[in-house]
């Protein structure tokens, strides 16, 4: 198995021929015999050789590139992270190629494969919610290509990562809901195998335990990160004989699905159902009532991930775990007692 990105020189050395011979054989030149062509192509396939389209002749002018794969490029969070990555990369003379996995493992694997073909110098990635097989990343590790995860991560012993303190922030947000009068607090999350979901759910459960509130399994709804799925989960929770009086929502998609569900049921926010979601300040400020939110420093997360990647590109082999803190911003959708006092 290759331990680095295979070059023409590697193929030539193993076959005992010149680099020019290998190049001509791969291009099917009539100057090279059929038997040698077959040998070269077979070894190239075995060692996973990829031609570098940017290194054909003008090596000194080849662009220095890093690849970034995100689950959903149209959300503000991932766009802001990408903005941070691009800012940091450009300051160090790198261009950025981005790919959208659309939350699918197949698209994520294809993106990583394409980055490899393009000979990017390093990769930054956030797992798609469907990804449970990490073999495409294990292959990148074996090939020695620098890679850093952000947000949703895996293979923590092999790759550096940048995450938020979602457990601490979720616990603080849940505590705020308890302090302002909520007692049946629901958590609507994404797939349980994602470490980001696990961290945020852990913080929510810790707050309930510390306040000696019962953990009610029916109030925890973890499913696909999808607006319609989250909307149905919220409507189901709000239709229970004893519905939740508050909701902690995993991300912006789920937050606004829960917001819609509460309105559809004709309930008041926060008097009937308080709401806090992990989202960004841009969306949180411009809904009515204004949304209490757990806000990411997403651009900083992007810059930090890029800084780590550049360290690895420059030869640093240490595995780093960086945490970018989130902040709980209280607005109008969560403070039940305050709202009731103001309306009283």
């Amino acid at each position: 198995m290759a331990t680095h990105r295979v070059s023409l020189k590697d193929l030539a050395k193993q076959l005992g021929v010149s680099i020019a011979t290998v190049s001509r054989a791969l291009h099917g030149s009539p100057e090279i015999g059929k038997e040698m062509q077959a040998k070269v192509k077979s070894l190239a396939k075995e060692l996973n050789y990829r031609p570098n389209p940017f290194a054909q002749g003008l090596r000194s002018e080849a662009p220095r590139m890093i690849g970034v794969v995100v689950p959903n490029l149209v959300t503000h969070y991932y766009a802001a992270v990408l903005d941070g990555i691009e800012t940091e990369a450009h300051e160090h003379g790198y261009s950025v190629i981005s790919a959208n996995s659309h939350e699918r493992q197949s698209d994520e694997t294809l993106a990583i494969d394409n980055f490899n073909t393009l000979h990017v110098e390093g990769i930054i990635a956030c797992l798609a919610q469907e990804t449970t097989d990490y073999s495409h990343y294990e292959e990148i590790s074996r090939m020695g290509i620098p890679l850093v995860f952000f947000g949703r991560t895996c293979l923590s012993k092999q790759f550096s990562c940048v995450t938020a303190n979602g457990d601490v922030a979720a616990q603080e947000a849940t505590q705020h809901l308890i302090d302002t009068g909520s007692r049946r607090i629901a958590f609507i999350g994404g797939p349980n195998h994602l470490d980001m979901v696990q961290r945020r759910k852990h913080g929510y459960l810790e707050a309930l335990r510390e306040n000696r509130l019962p953990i009610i399994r029916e109030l925890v709804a973890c499913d696909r990160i999808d607006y319609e799925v989250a909307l149905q989960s919220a409507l189901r929770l709000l239709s229970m004989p004893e519905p939740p009086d508050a909701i902690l929502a995993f991300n912006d998609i789920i937050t606004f699905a829960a917001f819609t569900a509460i309105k559809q049921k004709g309930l008041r926010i926060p008097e009937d159902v308080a709401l806090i979601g992990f989202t960004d300040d841009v969306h949180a400020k411009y809904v009515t009532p204004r949304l209490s939110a757990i806000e990411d420093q997403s651009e900083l997360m992007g810059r930090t991930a890029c800084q780590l990647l550049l360290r690895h590109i420059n030869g640093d082999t240490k595995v780093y775990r960086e945490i970018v803190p989130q902040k709980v911003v209280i607005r109008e959708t969560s403070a039940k007692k305050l709202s009731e006092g103001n309306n009283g």
Side-chain angles (χ1 to χ4, degrees):
M1 181 62 68
T3 56
H4 69 289
R5 191 141 36 197
V6 176
S7 66
L8 286 176
K9 185 178 178 181
D10 296 324
L11 298 178
K13 185 177 179 182
Q14 192 153 332
L15 290 164
V17 298
S18 70
I19 292 173
T21 297
V22 171
S23 179
R24 290 187 187 113
L26 289 171
H27 287 91
S29 170
E31 298 172 38
I32 308 300
K34 295 289 184 190
E35 187 179 343
M36 179 54 72
Q37 285 191 34
K39 273 187 184 179
V40 172
K41 288 175 181 176
S42 174
L43 183 63
K45 185 176 181 181
E46 180 188 335
L47 297 183
N48 197 25
Y49 166 74
R50 311 291 183 92
N52 184 350
F54 297 106
Q56 312 289 327
L58 295 174
R59 231 169 234 287
S60 63
E61 296 178 18
R64 305 188 74 185
M65 296 189 304
I66 61 174
V68 181
V69 59
V70 299
N72 188 347
L73 197 46
V74 299
T75 67
H76 185 273
Y77 169 72
Y78 292 114
V81 171
L82 184 59
D83 190 54
I85 292 169
E86 288 179 338
T87 300
E88 191 71 25
H90 293 163
E91 287 175 6
H92 290 84
Y94 282 83
S95 297
V96 175
I97 306 172
S98 59
N100 191 344
S101 72
H102 306 283
E103 297 282 13
R104 293 190 288 264
Q105 176 162 336
S106 58
D107 287 0
E108 177 182 287
T109 303
L110 179 62
I112 297 297
D113 197 48
N114 287 340
F115 290 156
N116 189 10
T117 298
L118 290 169
H119 286 243
V120 298
E121 292 192 35
I123 296 169
I124 297 173
C126 179
L127 291 180
Q129 64 174 311
E130 285 186 2
T131 300
T132 52
D133 173 5
Y134 309 129
S135 55
H136 49 308
Y137 292 118
E138 289 167 342
E139 177 70 9
I140 289 294
S141 178
R142 284 192 290 268
M143 294 177 77
I145 299 170
L147 184 145
V148 171
F149 284 109
F150 75 90
R152 310 174 195 167
T153 75
C154 67
L155 304 175
S156 59
K157 291 182 179 177
Q158 292 162 255
F159 295 111
S160 294
C161 65
V162 183
T163 58
N165 61 339
D167 51 345
V168 175
Q171 185 167 352
E172 184 183 336
T174 307
Q175 185 63 53
H176 162 72
L177 291 169
I178 294 166
D179 290 345
T180 52
S182 297
R183 289 296 175 267
R184 288 179 58 83
I185 302 166
F187 175 76
I188 307 180
N192 280 309
H193 67 269
L194 291 176
D195 60 336
M196 184 188 281
V197 175
Q198 293 166 13
R199 285 192 297 271
R200 295 177 182 185
K201 183 163 67 172
H202 175 75
Y204 154 78
L205 293 173
E206 280 299 295
L208 296 183
R209 289 189 190 102
E210 284 198 1
N211 289 273
R212 299 185 179 179
L213 290 176
I215 293 171
I216 303 167
R217 197 170 295 225
E218 292 74 26
L219 292 180
V220 179
C222 289
D223 207 322
R224 279 188 58 79
I225 301 168
D226 176 87
Y227 183 84
E228 285 302 324
V229 170
L231 178 63
Q232 293 308 312
S233 292
L235 289 171
R236 177 179 54 77
L237 287 166
L238 296 170
S239 300
M240 292 170 65
E242 292 185 74
D245 58 6
I247 294 173
L248 174 65
F250 168 74
N251 71 354
D252 48 1
I253 292 170
I254 292 173
T255 297
F256 288 103
F259 193 95
T260 301
I262 297 167
K263 295 282 192 180
Q264 280 188 15
K265 296 291 283 186
L267 299 168
R268 299 169 301 162
I269 305 173
E271 295 87 348
D272 300 319
V273 187
L275 177 64
I276 295 184
F278 284 81
T279 185
D280 58 86
D281 63 334
V282 174
H283 292 99
K285 286 176 183 173
Y286 300 117
V287 294
T288 304
R290 292 186 310 138
L291 186 66
S292 294
I294 304 160
E295 295 178 0
D296 282 292
Q297 298 187 71
S298 40
E299 188 177 352
L300 178 60
M301 181 167 280
R303 291 194 74 128
T304 305
C306 191
Q307 288 164 5
L308 287 184
L309 184 68
L310 294 173
R311 282 191 209 173
H312 294 318
I313 289 172
N314 291 322
D316 188 346
T317 58
K318 182 181 174 182
V319 175
Y320 294 89
R321 293 186 183 86
E322 297 288 342
I323 294 176
V324 176
Q326 295 172 303
K327 52 183 179 177
V328 178
V329 180
I330 303 306
R331 297 191 180 95
E332 297 168 352
T333 62
S334 62
K336 198 180 290 283
K337 279 182 178 173
L338 294 175
S339 175
E340 288 169 354
N342 290 341
N343 291 339

